[in-house]
Amino acid sequence: MTVLLEWGAASDTGRLRDHNEDSVLAEPPVFVVADGMGGHAAGEVASALAVEAFRPLLGRRDLTVADVLGSVREANDSIRRAGDEDPSRAGMGTTLTGVALVRVAGDEHWLAFNVGDSRIYRLVDGRVVQISVDHSEIQELIDAGRLHPDEADRHPHRNVVTRSLGVLSAPEPDIWMFPPTPGERLLICSDGLSREITDDGISALLDQTRSSLEAAQTLVASAIAAGGRDNISVIVVDALADDQAEEGDTAPRGELW
Ligand code: CA
């Protein structure tokens, strides 16, 4: 079976930052968000290098897990090389979070991967489930039972990411695999969305919007309306059921593959 995808992406600087350090690559079979960090405009350099490492994979229906993990390594290596060449960019880094369609024993599977605190969610039966686990000091405190999730937004260490690209020689991404299911909707986002909108709010917006592009644009607009304190980047990918692939409604449609 070959799955039919529809996708849409949106990214915005938000209200408080003066530039956008997030980078997005949404082109099948790869959908990635990178949230850069580092002074002197280095954050957006790191995040752009990270997503560009996936460009050789675009358009392919035969990707393997090794191809995707190779691009994660190349993303890390290219950021470190750029930091070595320009000392003002030394120490720049980025999160890297995404999904790619890979082939395993002839069947297409989603490979989800994460380094850092950008997130992957999956909408199932009208509710979102977070697939990725944040690499953050807050998540470690929650896992250790030392912090309640409701207190996370006020914690002084809420910005500390414990794993990122560009810092170590070979950071390990977390990975998950699952078969694409017609009718499912995936969301990949930077923390500029997940810190402004609760999971329930994300669920409702994903469930109420018809096309992937409309969903991505609505989520970004909602995060800006809620404060827009950080850059906001969103990719929404729909694995279409047969009756969803038909033309005919007037909502803005994402692209098809
Ligand atoms: Ca961010």
Side-chain angles (χ1 to χ4, degrees):
M1 187 195 87
T2 299
V3 66
L4 181 65
L5 301 180
E6 189 204 294
W7 73 97
S11 184
D12 196 277
T13 304
R15 286 184 176 175
L16 291 190
R17 303 289 174 91
D18 57 15
H19 60 288
N20 193 344
E21 294 188 321
D22 291 354
S23 292
V24 172
L25 182 66
E27 235 182 291
V30 176
F31 302 91
V32 282
V33 166
D35 178 349
M37 48 210 130
H40 303 291
E44 67 240 50
V45 173
S47 68
L49 288 171
V51 303
E52 283 306 308
F54 289 84
R55 197 163 287 282
L57 309 186
L58 302 184
R60 289 175 48 189
R61 285 271 182 191
D62 61 346
L63 287 189
T64 64
V65 173
D67 289 329
V68 176
L69 295 181
S71 285
V72 175
R73 272 194 303 278
E74 171 54 26
N76 190 61
D77 292 348
S78 68
I79 294 165
R80 289 171 61 83
R81 281 196 301 271
D84 289 343
E85 285 163 13
D86 181 349
S88 75
R89 291 174 173 162
M92 66 180 172
T94 185
T95 72
L96 179 69
T97 304
V99 298
L101 267 185
V102 298
R103 241 173 228 289
V104 179
D107 288 325
E108 285 184 311
H109 282 70
W110 285 119
L111 175 67
F113 49 96
N114 178 51
V115 179
D117 68 348
S118 298
R119 288 182 176 176
I120 304 161
Y121 292 91
R122 183 168 179 244
L123 186 72
V124 185
D125 298 329
R127 286 201 56 79
V128 292
V129 175
Q130 186 180 332
I131 292 176
S132 57
V133 178
D134 295 351
H135 298 138
S136 66
E137 206 159 288
I138 290 291
Q139 185 66 46
E140 290 182 358
L141 290 169
I142 291 171
D143 290 346
R146 291 166 55 197
L147 184 73
H148 191 274
D150 292 347
E151 297 167 317
D153 282 346
R154 296 185 298 277
H155 196 278
H157 293 176
R158 63 187 173 276
N159 291 322
V160 179
V161 175
T162 50
R163 222 185 286 181
S164 59
L165 292 188
V167 182
L168 297 172
S169 55
E172 282 290 311
D174 291 337
I175 60 170
W176 301 264
M177 277 230 278
F178 48 97
T181 306
E184 83 186 330
R185 172 166 272 186
L186 300 178
L187 165 69
I188 305 122
C189 65
S190 61
D191 65 340
L193 178 76
S194 51
R195 286 192 202 202
E196 297 290 5
I197 314 277
T198 63
D199 285 5
D200 285 345
I202 290 173
S203 283
L205 289 167
L206 279 179
D207 202 33
Q208 288 157 12
T209 42
R210 174 127 190 175
S211 84
S212 51
L213 179 61
E214 187 188 8
Q217 291 171 341
T218 303
L219 285 165
V220 169
S222 301
I224 293 169
R229 283 161 281 194
D230 193 2
N231 309 142
I232 308 134
S233 296
V234 172
I235 302 172
V236 176
V237 186
D238 288 324
L240 297 186
D242 284 346
D243 61 344
Q244 289 177 295
E246 290 162 14
E247 300 284 331
D249 68 82
T250 54
R253 295 296 298 256
E255 296 180 73
L256 290 172
W257 190 67

